[in-house]
Amino acid sequence: MAETPKDRHGKDVDLGARVRLVSLDPKFIDSLPEDEKDDVCSMIGEVFEVYEIDEYGQPWIEKEWRVADDQTISHSLSLASHEMELC
C-alpha cells in the first residue's frame, strides 16, 4: 500500500480533501496538444476536491468545461506533492 500523499507543506492529503493546484511541470504542459494547454493551465490557482488516490499514492483532481449546451470536456490530473497545497 502506498504512503498517504503529502502537499507541498508536508500535510496529509486524503480522499475528498480540497487542494489548490499551485504549479504544473512545464515539461508536462509542453507535452500537451496545443488545444489543451490553455485549459490545463487555467487550473493553476484553483481549488479542487481529490476524487481518487491511486495505487501509487497519487491524488487525482478533475475540471470540466461546458463548451456547448450538450457538450463538456474535462481534464484529470495526478498531482505531485510540490504541485498542491491543502486548503
Side-chain angles (χ1 to χ4, degrees), residues 6-7 11 18 25 36 41 51 58 70-71 83:
K6 310 277 187 204
D7 77 350
K11 296 179 182 175
R18 296 184 53 76
D25 185 333
E36 295 180 20
C41 286
Y51 74 86
Q58 295 294 121
D70 61 346
Q71 183 182 8
E83 296 174 324

Side-chain angles (χ1 to χ4, degrees), residues 72-85:
T72 60
I73 59 170
S74 67
H75 284 284
S76 296
L77 303 173
S78 67
L79 302 179
S81 294
H82 68 275
E83 296 174 324
M84 64 181 160
E85 63 185 8

Side-chain angles (χ1 to χ4, degrees), residues 13-61:
V13 175
D14 297 312
L15 187 65
R18 296 184 53 76
V19 297
R20 181 177 324 280
L21 176 60
V22 295
S23 68
L24 289 171
D25 185 333
K27 290 180 184 177
F28 166 70
I29 295 169
D30 288 343
S31 75
L32 295 171
E34 284 300 319
D35 64 336
E36 295 180 20
K37 288 181 182 181
D38 287 343
D39 288 342
V40 171
C41 286
S42 76
M43 296 171 72
I44 297 171
E46 292 189 24
V47 175
F48 300 92
E49 183 175 321
V50 174
Y51 74 86
E52 177 183 357
I53 297 176
D54 67 20
E55 66 270 21
Y56 306 106
Q58 295 294 121
W60 284 81
I61 60 170

